[in-house]
Structures are given as structure tokens and as C-alpha cells.
Amino acid sequence: MNQSPRPDTPPTPAPRGALFWLSLVVVSAGLMNAIPGVPGLDEGLRAATGLDWLKIRRFPTEWFYPLAFALMMLCVVLKHSAWQAMHDSPAGKRRLGLLLDLAMVAAACTVSITYIVEIESICLIDQFTGERARLTAEALRIETEIAETMGLPAPSTVEDPSCVANTGGWLVLIVGLTVLIFLAYNVRVWGLALVLVALAVALYTIATVLVWYFHGPEDINKYLMTKLAGEPRLLSDGRPRVHDILVNNASGLLGRFMNIMLNTIFPYLVLGSLFGASAGGQSLIKLAFRWTRKLRGGPAHAAIVSSAMFGTISGGPIVNVLSTGVLTIPMMVKRGYSKVFAGGVEAAASSGGSIMPPVMGVAAFVLASLTVVPYSQVIIAAAIPAAAYFFCLFLSVIFQTRKQKIHAIGKLTEDMHMSRQDILNLAMIFGPILLILILLLTTKEMVGCGLLGGVFGAERSFVDGHCSVQSLSWFQRAVQNAAGDAGSAGWWAVMFLIALLFLDPKVRSKPVKIVEALSDAGVLVSTLYLMFLAVSVIDFCLQFTGLPNFISLDVLGWLKTLNLGEEGSVGFQLIALGVTMFIAILLGMGMPAVPAYINVALLMGPVLAGLGIANFTAHMFIFYFAVASAITPPIALAAFAAASITGANPMATGFSAVKSGVVMFVIPFIFALYPEILLIEAAVIDPVQSGKGEQVYLSGYDGTTHWPALALVMCRITFALYLLASALAGFDFRKLAAWEIILRLLCAAMIISFSAAFQTLGVFGALALIAWQLKRDPRAD
């Protein structure tokens, strides 16, 4: 047994390494950049320092992005050093590992420097040679002359001129080599699957360019040729494309994914790391056991509740399993559940955390960015599908408890006792989440007009029932600046949580725990962006070749040949949705949800949109299946993590997780066919007609929520999910016969169909099947 150190000889803390301090720099810079608009902050700092150029927030992206990128990649090397990992290997292998580490550092620095040399808003070399000043002055002179000729005011600024001194043809070699190095390091950190997809797409791009160069564009299939320019055919014509790969704000290496990372996701990654430093997780599980003690499922239901609440913070299925499962799984086994079922329920519930508002996972923030839908709308859209998912998980546990004749605990046990400290710990969990919800769901126009608007100092007037705000207090202006913005809401939640952490006596006695959590967040952010680099390679290669457009046009053409109906028919949509589901699950089994979602969205998003499915709904559909891949055999990562706790067969645990969480594979089809359950306008916009300029809604929708009709649809969906869950469990009030299972599945399909006759027949058929169960076993409880 380990002995505690004597009070007079405290243990010597381990020295902080370079990774610790560098990751702190990354997270500090990221949090400073993400500071929301605080009234008077910028002006006060400039007045206090006398420096008009001073900025401590929202740094210029052309300077901040390359610096942040270089620091993050250096963090990755220090964390995942190939040289250190091979310390027991032969000298030759160690030298290769050191070479890979040095190559990674050199590649990151080269990309950062090349970026500020090539981007027109800086043109670093031209800054030193004086060319930039000369070109800017010349452009301003020309614009002034034109303005005078046309009688317009003289301009004070002009567009950034193109860089005169740049890397020239070396740019192609620089980008090509650095991308290969980034992909090689991705193999070490994120595994081979993601890199193989990126390499396949990149090699396809290079091959099609070479076909164009050597063969020409005539008499060649469009999939086999990527045209760079006209005649004469010169590979040097590809330099503008490679330039875009580096500096383009949309699909460049430091483009939209860097923007998403630093301006939206960053605070939530820090928040998740800080939650790990708190004692709130243990208290949360204790609360879940307390809430579910009167349910027959007991610890299984507690696993679902705790995983849903903790998962919305962590957003990662594996982290969720390892955090909550270590307590819930042994309790489930102790109550009589099999190890396979216990692991499967925990894996399914933990995966559901990634679809549970308000925080969800990283992929949800990427979805908001790609669909240009505010994240506040995304969490509204995710509410009903998430509730349906966890409702079905509850049902699967209920049927299992009936099958095994497990009864509720009922009474409060010692391990359910909530101390004063537990209540304070729960404030650390629910306080930041509540703050995020309030800020995300509050519109800027609402600030000052609510019930407490006058209490907080707003001067307002009401005319004909309409609120008009004349002025707001400092606090209300700060709230208004953050309202509806995901990044700002996350930043304030981080600051709030840091303050709440001091409610924990362990943190008060050792505040360095907060600093360590912040350092861990810096490492997490850096590692995550390495994955985004591989996704960026896939993104710009697909844009380069036009492959998504070719696929969507050809798939739509193929579907039309099947004569299933006109464009937008249910038959077309179901086939395309099925193909999309298969691709998303296939990719997701070998890589994290984020790249799986992005890759499938790039390929199949246009196809689904062409079939009359709203762009947002199509992305939500793909997002769900990218998340579902975490419990899908043969590579069910969340299920394998649960099996590591139970000691059960991982593959059997994976199939059990699918059985418990099968609704995650069904719900996306339901909201694809009934987009009104997503509750937001973006889910019912016709992508085909709206693409012509004017916003048009899908047939049968007007962009508003009709609550009576929605309530009827929800009743049908709930009944259908009940039938589905019982059929898959093979049990309701008693064991189901094979014919009962088949009929229940058939009735569920009829209930959610579009035909009123089928719906009616399905409802009455299902009621008859339930009555049959009760008649055969009237003593069922």
C-alpha cells in the first residue's frame, strides 16, 4: 500500500516542460483573441497606454493565423514526438523519428512564413523592399484620378496589390512537401484511415491534372481530367490554384477551419478541459443515480442521464464512456445486467452526448459554419431528435428490465447522499451550461425589453405593445454583444467556470489544477487542428477537381432513369439517403466524426439538396450518421472503450450498442422526411428553387411552426419509436414472438408513412398487438 507523504516533507512537484508552457501560450492567445465585445474595453486600454494600435482581442487574421498555426504544430510535435516514442528502439529508428519531428517543425514554420509572404494583405518581402508602398501609392493615384474625372470623392484606401516578390514556382513544391509531412504526422496522431482518404483524393487530383497535361481535354471523361487553363497546356498555370490552397479564406490550409477553430470551437474545448478538472462529474453521476432510483432500470437509466448531461460538455463518445462508464457500468453489472448489455447501453448513451444540446461536439460547430446557420438555431434543431434518441434508450432499458425481472431500488442509499459540496459541484456543471443557453437563445433585440430589462438599467418605452430601447446599462450592452454568438457564449462560460471552480476546496488548495487544465486544452486544440489539416487537403482537392458537382449531377441523372417520380420524390430521396448513410458510417468507422461528416457533406450534400432536401437538413442527416459510426461494428470505438471496462467481447458490445441505440440510425430518416421536427426555418427551405435567388420553402411548408400539426407528428413518431424499441428488444410486457416482431416493425413503418390510410391502419394494428400482449399476460407489470 502506498503511504502518504509526511506533512513536513511535501512532495516535490514535477518540473514543467516545454509542452506545458507552449500549450499555455496557445490557449492564452486563443482566449484573448476570442474575448467578446466588452463595452469600453478597447477604448480604455488605448487611453491608458496611449497606443492607438493596441489590440488584445480579435487579432488581424493575416498575422494571427500563421503564428497560431506554427505554435499549435510545435505543440503537436512535443506531445506526439516520434523521437521520444522510439526511445527503446534501435538508433536508426530513433534518427528517423527525430527526422520526422524536425520535418514537422520545419513544415509548420515554412507554411506560416510562406503564408505572410504570399497573402496580398501583407506581402512580407514587398514590405521590406518598398514595393508594397510604391504599388499602393500608384493604385491610390490612379483611383483618385478616376474619381476626379467622374466627380466622385477621392478614395482614401485601395485594394491590396498583388505581391511582386513571392515564392514563385517554389510555392508548388513548398505546399506539396508540407502537406505530405502533415499527413505523415496525422498517421501517428489520428490513425491511417483519415490519411488514406486524403492521400487517395490528392493522388486522384494529381493524376487528373497529368491526364489533362499529357492527353488534353478532348475525348476524355470528365472524371479523369482536371483542367488548369487553356492552351498551351502548362503546369505553371496551376500556381494560382496552389496559391489559393495556402491563403484562401474558404478552403485554404489556414482558411475556414482555422476560423472555426479559433473563433467558435476554441472556448468550448477549453470549457471541456476545465470540466475535467472539476469534481462536478462525480456529483453529476450521483445525482443521476438519485433521480433514477425509483425506475426499474436503476443504474442503466442513470448511465443514460449522466452520459447525456456529461456528453453535451465533452462532446466525445470515448471520453464520455471512460468518464461516466467507470462508475455506471459496474453498477449495472451488480444489478444483474450482462456485461455486454451494460457496455452497449453506456456506449450508446455516451455517443448520444455528441447530439445533445446545448454544446454537443465539434462536428456540430462545423455544421453551423458549413450551413451558415447560427449555432443558436442548430441547438434548437437538435432538441427533438436528441430527446427522441434518449427516449428510445430509456425504452430499451425498460424492456430489458422486464425481461430480466429487475426491480427498482426505490430507497436512497449511502452513495446517493448529496452533500453541500456535491451541490456546489453541480453548480460548476449546470452554471456554465445555463449561461451558454441564455446567451445563445437571446437575440440582440431582446436585450433590455424583457421582464428584467428595467431592473438592470435599460431605458425603454412601449408603443402599441412594441418595445423601443433608448439606452442600455454597461451589463446589458455586454450581454447584447455576446447574444446569439456561439464563440462569445463559450468564452463567458469559460470565465464563469474558472470562478466557480474555486468552490471546490481541492482547487482552492491547489489552483495550479486550473492552469494544468488550460495547458491540456492547448494540447487538445493543437492536436485537433492537425486533423483539420487532413480534412483541408480533402476539401481543396475536391474543389480543385469539381468532383462533388460531377457526382451530384450524375447521381441525380441516374435516379431519374429509375422512373420513381419527379424531382424531390420520396423514392429518390430514400435511395440517396440510404447511400449517404452507408458512406457516412463507412468513413466514420475509421476516423473521428468531424472528418467523416465533412467528407460526406462535401460529396453527398449537393446530391441531397438536388433532390429537394433542405441544405441544413441534409447536413444534419450526415452529421447524425457520422456520430453513429462510434457504435457501429466492426470499428465501434465507443463500444470498444466500454468493453475495456467490462472485459466483455468488444464486437458483441458493439452490436449491443447498435441494438440499444438503433434509433440514431432511424431518427435522421424521420427528420429528413418530416423536417418540421427540426423547428427552424432553415430546415424547410427548398435548395433548388432558392438557389435561383428568391427564398422558397419546400412544398407544404411556409417557414413557421404549426404546433398542432407538429404535436400530431410527434405522437406518431413516439408511438413508432416505442414499437421499434420493443421489437428490437424482443420484449414488451412479455417475450415477443417472431411474427409479433415483424408486425410491430411493419406497423411502425406505416405510422410514419405519408399515407393517412397507412397511418390509421398502423395505429390500429399496433394497438391490437399491444392488446394481444396484455390479454395473454394480464398480470404483466
Side-chain angles (χ1 to χ4, degrees):
M1 180 182 295
N2 294 327
Q3 295 183 346
S4 301
R6 291 170 56 190
D8 57 340
T9 57
T12 304
R16 307 296 180 189
L19 175 62
F20 178 85
W21 297 111
L22 185 62
S23 57
L24 269 184
V25 171
V26 169
V27 80
S28 300
L31 285 175
M32 286 183 65
N33 176 70
I35 294 175
V38 178
L41 176 62
D42 295 332
E43 297 82 356
L45 284 171
R46 289 169 185 165
T49 60
L51 303 174
D52 292 338
W53 52 265
L54 182 65
K55 285 182 72 74
I56 65 163
R57 55 180 292 272
R58 299 295 187 240
F59 304 128
T61 58
E62 61 267 28
W63 289 104
F64 183 57
Y65 284 6
L67 176 61
F69 174 75
L71 292 176
M72 288 192 291
M73 293 306 100
L74 186 54
C75 275
V76 170
V77 173
L78 291 174
K79 175 65 177 178
H80 301 279
S81 170
W83 180 64
Q84 290 184 347
M86 298 177 183
H87 65 278
D88 292 329
S89 302
K93 281 191 174 181
R94 291 204 72 191
R95 282 193 290 269
L96 285 175
L98 179 60
L99 180 63
L100 180 59
D101 290 345
L102 293 175
M104 181 66 175
V105 174
C109 294
T110 301
V111 164
S112 296
I113 294 171
T114 306
Y115 179 89
I116 59 178
V117 166
E118 291 283 343
I119 192 166
E120 287 81 1
S121 58
I122 298 179
C123 294
L124 185 64
I125 298 176
D126 289 354
Q127 298 269 15
F128 289 107
T129 62
E131 281 295 310
R132 182 168 180 81
R134 184 186 66 80
L135 291 173
T136 303
E138 179 66 17
L140 186 60
R141 182 187 64 78
I142 295 172
E143 291 290 335
T144 302
E145 290 178 356
I146 294 174
E148 290 175 353
T149 302
M150 301 181 67
L152 299 173
S156 58
T157 59
V158 292
E159 291 186 3
D160 294 320
S162 298
C163 304
V164 175
N166 52 39
T167 56
W170 291 100
L171 180 64
V172 178
L173 182 63
I174 290 171
V175 172
L177 286 178
T178 53
V179 163
L180 286 177
I181 294 170
F182 295 145
L183 291 179
Y185 230 83
N186 257 291
V187 175
R188 282 191 48 74
V189 179
W190 291 103
L192 188 60
L194 175 59
V195 175
L196 284 179
V197 174
L199 278 177
V201 176
L203 290 174
Y204 166 78
T205 303
I206 294 170
T208 55
V209 168
L210 293 178
V211 168
W212 165 80
Y213 179 70
F214 289 107
H215 181 277
E218 292 79 21
D219 301 322
I220 191 74
N221 187 283
K222 61 187 176 184
Y223 286 99
L224 301 179
M225 185 270 298
T226 297
K227 189 175 181 181
L228 293 182
E231 298 293 338
R233 298 192 299 275
L234 299 172
L235 289 176
S236 58
D237 289 331
R239 188 190 186 280
R241 304 278 192 96
V242 179
H243 180 269
D244 277 350
I245 288 171
L246 179 65
V247 303
N248 192 297
N249 290 332
S251 58
L253 290 174
L254 306 184
R256 62 177 169 184
F257 293 121
M258 180 66 83
N259 178 55
I260 295 170
M261 172 67 73
L262 293 179
N263 295 322
T264 303
I265 300 173
F266 195 96
Y268 295 94
L269 296 175
V270 177
L271 191 68
S273 185
L274 288 171
F275 274 125
S278 76
Q282 301 293 327
S283 301
L284 182 63
I285 295 173
K286 187 182 292 188
L287 179 66
F289 278 116
R290 187 183 180 95
W291 280 352
T292 59
R293 70 185 186 278
K294 295 183 179 180
L295 300 176
R296 296 180 64 165
H301 281 137
I304 295 171
V305 172
S306 60
S307 294
M309 291 189 291
F310 188 81
T312 191
I313 303 164
S314 68
I318 299 174
V319 173
N320 203 355
V321 168
L322 297 177
S323 299
T324 61
V326 291
L327 291 178
T328 58
I329 288 176
M331 289 294 291
M332 282 188 272
V333 174
K334 185 178 179 181
R335 286 295 308 280
Y337 295 104
S338 70
K339 292 182 178 180
V340 169
F341 179 80
V345 166
E346 178 59 47
S350 295
S351 298
S354 297
I355 60 172
M356 183 69 180
V359 179
M360 301 195 279
V362 173
F365 292 97
V366 179
L367 181 149
S369 177
L370 295 185
T371 57
V372 200
V373 172
Y375 188 72
S376 57
Q377 295 287 294
V378 174
I379 64 174
I380 293 173
I384 289 180
Y389 178 71
F390 285 101
F391 167 72
C392 269
L393 275 182
F394 256 75
L395 286 179
S396 68
V397 170
I398 289 173
F399 296 137
Q400 186 69 22
T401 58
R402 289 177 180 175
K403 185 186 298 185
Q404 296 187 221
K405 295 182 171 55
I406 296 174
H407 296 280
I409 298 175
K411 62 181 181 180
L412 280 171
T413 60
E414 182 62 29
D415 56 1
M416 297 179 191
H417 175 69
M418 298 291 293
S419 66
R420 178 176 176 274
Q421 186 58 48
D422 282 320
I423 296 173
L424 294 176
N425 291 342
L426 289 174
M428 303 176 200
I429 297 290
F430 293 113
I433 292 177
L434 183 61
L435 178 61
I436 289 171
L437 273 174
I438 291 172
L439 289 177
L440 285 181
L441 299 181
T442 300
T443 63
K444 296 186 184 300
E445 295 76 17
M446 289 171 57
V447 178
C449 283
L451 293 175
L452 299 178
V455 175
F456 285 110
E459 294 184 7
R460 56 198 181 156
S461 59
F462 295 89
V463 179
D464 297 330
H466 296 285
C467 173
S468 176
V469 176
Q470 283 75 48
S471 67
L472 297 172
S473 65
W474 179 91
F475 171 75
Q476 289 171 320
R477 283 186 289 139
V479 171
Q480 188 179 60
N481 290 340
D485 181 72
S488 297
W491 190 90
W492 282 115
V494 167
M495 297 300 111
F496 188 34
L497 178 56
I498 289 176
L500 290 176
L501 283 174
F502 285 95
L503 295 174
D504 185 350
K506 294 181 180 178
V507 173
R508 290 198 301 271
S509 63
K510 192 180 178 183
V512 74
K513 289 182 67 175
I514 297 177
V515 181
E516 291 170 346
L518 292 173
S519 176
D520 292 340
V523 174
L524 175 62
V525 167
S526 303
T527 307
L528 189 61
Y529 196 71
L530 180 67
M531 178 187 70
F532 276 128
L533 284 178
V535 176
S536 295
V537 172
I538 298 169
D539 185 15
F540 63 64
C541 283
L542 290 178
Q543 301 300 324
F544 199 86
T545 60
L547 187 63
N549 293 330
F550 298 156
I551 291 176
S552 61
L553 290 173
D554 286 349
V555 169
L556 291 173
W558 169 69
L559 289 173
K560 290 179 180 179
T561 64
L562 299 179
N563 295 320
L564 295 176
E566 293 300 320
E567 193 174 82
S569 75
V570 176
F572 282 168
Q573 292 176 352
L574 287 176
I575 293 175
L577 291 170
V579 173
T580 304
M581 175 192 72
F582 175 77
I583 296 174
I585 292 175
L586 185 65
L587 284 179
M589 285 190 293
M591 64 181 72
V594 176
Y597 156 68
I598 295 173
N599 293 338
V600 180
L602 291 173
L603 284 174
M604 295 301 295
V607 175
L608 298 181
L611 290 170
I613 297 175
N615 185 51
F616 176 82
T617 306
H619 278 256
M620 275 288 286
F621 181 90
I622 297 166
F623 164 68
Y624 254 69
F625 282 109
V627 171
S629 62
I631 59 170
T632 308
I635 311 176
L637 298 179
F640 286 7
S644 71
I645 299 174
T646 63
N649 182 285
M651 198 63 66
T653 303
F655 284 111
S656 176
V658 170
K659 192 175 178 181
S660 296
V662 70
V663 71
M664 191 179 284
F665 301 85
V666 177
I667 282 288
F669 284 94
I670 294 177
F671 66 62
L673 299 178
Y674 293 96
E676 61 264 37
I677 70 173
L678 297 180
L679 300 178
I680 64 172
E681 184 184 43
V684 295
I685 294 176
D686 189 323
V688 178
Q689 299 299 322
S690 298
K692 300 174 182 177
E694 182 182 355
Q695 181 169 293
V696 179
Y697 297 108
L698 296 171
S699 177
Y701 299 98
D702 58 9
T704 59
T705 300
H706 299 276
W707 294 106
L710 177 63
L712 182 60
V713 170
M714 289 307 304
C715 288
R716 287 166 45 209
I717 291 173
T718 302
F719 196 16
L721 292 178
Y722 170 83
L723 295 172
L724 174 65
S726 61
L728 291 174
F731 203 94
D732 192 344
F733 296 100
R734 62 177 178 81
K735 184 177 180 180
L736 297 178
W739 63 269
E740 290 181 284
I741 294 175
I742 295 172
L743 287 179
R744 284 188 178 225
L745 292 175
L746 180 61
C747 287
M750 294 171 69
I751 288 171
I752 61 173
S753 69
F754 288 108
S755 169
F758 279 161
Q759 293 168 15
T760 304
L761 184 60
V763 169
F764 281 106
L767 292 174
L769 289 171
I770 295 172
W772 168 261
Q773 277 254 313
L774 294 173
K775 181 180 179 182
R776 289 291 302 273
D777 189 8
R779 294 168 298 175
D781 55 9

PDB file of all heavy atoms in Angstrom, residues 99-113:
ATOM      1  N   LEU A  99      14.032  12.851 -37.357  1.00  0.00           N
ATOM      2  CA  LEU A  99      13.919  13.497 -38.666  1.00  0.00           C
ATOM      3  C   LEU A  99      12.467  13.890 -38.942  1.00  0.00           C
ATOM      4  O   LEU A  99      12.195  14.983 -39.455  1.00  0.00           O
ATOM      5  CB  LEU A  99      14.445  12.565 -39.755  1.00  0.00           C
ATOM      6  CG  LEU A  99      14.400  13.112 -41.199  1.00  0.00           C
ATOM      7  CD1 LEU A  99      15.299  14.338 -41.310  1.00  0.00           C
ATOM      8  CD2 LEU A  99      14.840  12.031 -42.189  1.00  0.00           C
ATOM      9  N   LEU A 100      11.517  13.015 -38.584  1.00  0.00           N
ATOM     10  CA  LEU A 100      10.103  13.323 -38.801  1.00  0.00           C
ATOM     11  C   LEU A 100       9.675  14.503 -37.933  1.00  0.00           C
ATOM     12  O   LEU A 100       8.948  15.396 -38.391  1.00  0.00           O
ATOM     13  CB  LEU A 100       9.245  12.096 -38.491  1.00  0.00           C
ATOM     14  CG  LEU A 100       7.723  12.263 -38.664  1.00  0.00           C
ATOM     15  CD1 LEU A 100       7.380  12.650 -40.099  1.00  0.00           C
ATOM     16  CD2 LEU A 100       6.996  10.976 -38.270  1.00  0.00           C
ATOM     17  N   ASP A 101      10.121  14.531 -36.681  1.00  0.00           N
ATOM     18  CA  ASP A 101       9.789  15.657 -35.795  1.00  0.00           C
ATOM     19  C   ASP A 101      10.324  16.973 -36.349  1.00  0.00           C
ATOM     20  O   ASP A 101       9.615  17.987 -36.396  1.00  0.00           O
ATOM     21  CB  ASP A 101      10.376  15.417 -34.404  1.00  0.00           C
ATOM     22  CG  ASP A 101       9.672  14.294 -33.657  1.00  0.00           C
ATOM     23  OD1 ASP A 101       8.570  13.906 -34.083  1.00  0.00           O
ATOM     24  OD2 ASP A 101      10.229  13.807 -32.661  1.00  0.00           O
ATOM     25  N   LEU A 102      11.597  16.959 -36.763  1.00  0.00           N
ATOM     26  CA  LEU A 102      12.203  18.182 -37.299  1.00  0.00           C
ATOM     27  C   LEU A 102      11.518  18.610 -38.592  1.00  0.00           C
ATOM     28  O   LEU A 102      11.318  19.807 -38.839  1.00  0.00           O
ATOM     29  CB  LEU A 102      13.698  17.961 -37.540  1.00  0.00           C
ATOM     30  CG  LEU A 102      14.558  17.750 -36.278  1.00  0.00           C
ATOM     31  CD1 LEU A 102      15.998  17.430 -36.666  1.00  0.00           C
ATOM     32  CD2 LEU A 102      14.506  18.976 -35.387  1.00  0.00           C
ATOM     33  N   ALA A 103      11.144  17.627 -39.418  1.00  0.00           N
ATOM     34  CA  ALA A 103      10.443  17.940 -40.672  1.00  0.00           C
ATOM     35  C   ALA A 103       9.094  18.590 -40.386  1.00  0.00           C
ATOM     36  O   ALA A 103       8.681  19.535 -41.074  1.00  0.00           O
ATOM     37  CB  ALA A 103      10.261  16.683 -41.503  1.00  0.00           C
ATOM     38  N   MET A 104       8.417  18.111 -39.341  1.00  0.00           N
ATOM     39  CA  MET A 104       7.116  18.682 -38.977  1.00  0.00           C
ATOM     40  C   MET A 104       7.270  20.132 -38.520  1.00  0.00           C
ATOM     41  O   MET A 104       6.498  21.021 -38.924  1.00  0.00           O
ATOM     42  CB  MET A 104       6.493  17.835 -37.863  1.00  0.00           C
ATOM     43  CG  MET A 104       5.128  18.301 -37.419  1.00  0.00           C
ATOM     44  SD  MET A 104       3.869  18.131 -38.702  1.00  0.00           S
ATOM     45  CE  MET A 104       2.410  18.631 -37.775  1.00  0.00           C
ATOM     46  N   VAL A 105       8.279  20.388 -37.691  1.00  0.00           N
ATOM     47  CA  VAL A 105       8.521  21.756 -37.224  1.00  0.00           C
ATOM     48  C   VAL A 105       8.871  22.666 -38.405  1.00  0.00           C
ATOM     49  O   VAL A 105       8.355  23.778 -38.539  1.00  0.00           O
ATOM     50  CB  VAL A 105       9.648  21.783 -36.171  1.00  0.00           C
ATOM     51  CG1 VAL A 105      10.005  23.219 -35.808  1.00  0.00           C
ATOM     52  CG2 VAL A 105       9.235  21.010 -34.930  1.00  0.00           C
ATOM     53  N   ALA A 106       9.752  22.172 -39.275  1.00  0.00           N
ATOM     54  CA  ALA A 106      10.157  22.962 -40.439  1.00  0.00           C
ATOM     55  C   ALA A 106       8.973  23.234 -41.357  1.00  0.00           C
ATOM     56  O   ALA A 106       8.816  24.345 -41.884  1.00  0.00           O
ATOM     57  CB  ALA A 106      11.264  22.228 -41.200  1.00  0.00           C
ATOM     58  N   ALA A 107       8.115  22.230 -41.552  1.00  0.00           N
ATOM     59  CA  ALA A 107       6.950  22.395 -42.420  1.00  0.00           C
ATOM     60  C   ALA A 107       5.998  23.445 -41.861  1.00  0.00           C
ATOM     61  O   ALA A 107       5.477  24.290 -42.601  1.00  0.00           O
ATOM     62  CB  ALA A 107       6.229  21.061 -42.588  1.00  0.00           C
ATOM     63  N   ALA A 108       5.748  23.398 -40.548  1.00  0.00           N
ATOM     64  CA  ALA A 108       4.839  24.369 -39.930  1.00  0.00           C
ATOM     65  C   ALA A 108       5.384  25.792 -40.067  1.00  0.00           C
ATOM     66  O   ALA A 108       4.648  26.724 -40.426  1.00  0.00           O
ATOM     67  CB  ALA A 108       4.628  24.018 -38.460  1.00  0.00           C
ATOM     68  N   CYS A 109       6.666  25.959 -39.786  1.00  0.00           N
ATOM     69  CA  CYS A 109       7.269  27.291 -39.904  1.00  0.00           C
ATOM     70  C   CYS A 109       7.281  27.764 -41.356  1.00  0.00           C
ATOM     71  O   CYS A 109       7.029  28.947 -41.642  1.00  0.00           O
ATOM     72  CB  CYS A 109       8.693  27.271 -39.338  1.00  0.00           C
ATOM     73  SG  CYS A 109       8.772  26.964 -37.561  1.00  0.00           S
ATOM     74  N   THR A 110       7.565  26.845 -42.273  1.00  0.00           N
ATOM     75  CA  THR A 110       7.608  27.207 -43.694  1.00  0.00           C
ATOM     76  C   THR A 110       6.240  27.662 -44.187  1.00  0.00           C
ATOM     77  O   THR A 110       6.126  28.665 -44.905  1.00  0.00           O
ATOM     78  CB  THR A 110       8.104  26.015 -44.528  1.00  0.00           C
ATOM     79  OG1 THR A 110       9.404  25.634 -44.085  1.00  0.00           O
ATOM     80  CG2 THR A 110       8.157  26.369 -46.006  1.00  0.00           C
ATOM     81  N   VAL A 111       5.195  26.930 -43.802  1.00  0.00           N
ATOM     82  CA  VAL A 111       3.840  27.305 -44.216  1.00  0.00           C
ATOM     83  C   VAL A 111       3.470  28.672 -43.644  1.00  0.00           C
ATOM     84  O   VAL A 111       2.909  29.527 -44.345  1.00  0.00           O
ATOM     85  CB  VAL A 111       2.823  26.234 -43.770  1.00  0.00           C
ATOM     86  CG1 VAL A 111       1.392  26.784 -43.824  1.00  0.00           C
ATOM     87  CG2 VAL A 111       2.914  25.010 -44.656  1.00  0.00           C
ATOM     88  N   SER A 112       3.803  28.916 -42.394  1.00  0.00           N
ATOM     89  CA  SER A 112       3.462  30.197 -41.767  1.00  0.00           C
ATOM     90  C   SER A 112       4.178  31.355 -42.453  1.00  0.00           C
ATOM     91  O   SER A 112       3.566  32.389 -42.753  1.00  0.00           O
ATOM     92  CB  SER A 112       3.829  30.157 -40.277  1.00  0.00           C
ATOM     93  OG  SER A 112       3.064  29.188 -39.599  1.00  0.00           O
ATOM     94  N   ILE A 113       5.476  31.183 -42.720  1.00  0.00           N
ATOM     95  CA  ILE A 113       6.239  32.256 -43.365  1.00  0.00           C
ATOM     96  C   ILE A 113       5.769  32.462 -44.798  1.00  0.00           C
ATOM     97  O   ILE A 113       5.590  33.594 -45.269  1.00  0.00           O
ATOM     98  CB  ILE A 113       7.743  31.936 -43.317  1.00  0.00           C
ATOM     99  CG1 ILE A 113       8.238  31.951 -41.864  1.00  0.00           C
ATOM    100  CG2 ILE A 113       8.544  32.931 -44.155  1.00  0.00           C
ATOM    101  CD1 ILE A 113       9.654  31.445 -41.689  1.00  0.00           C
TER     102      ILE A 113
END
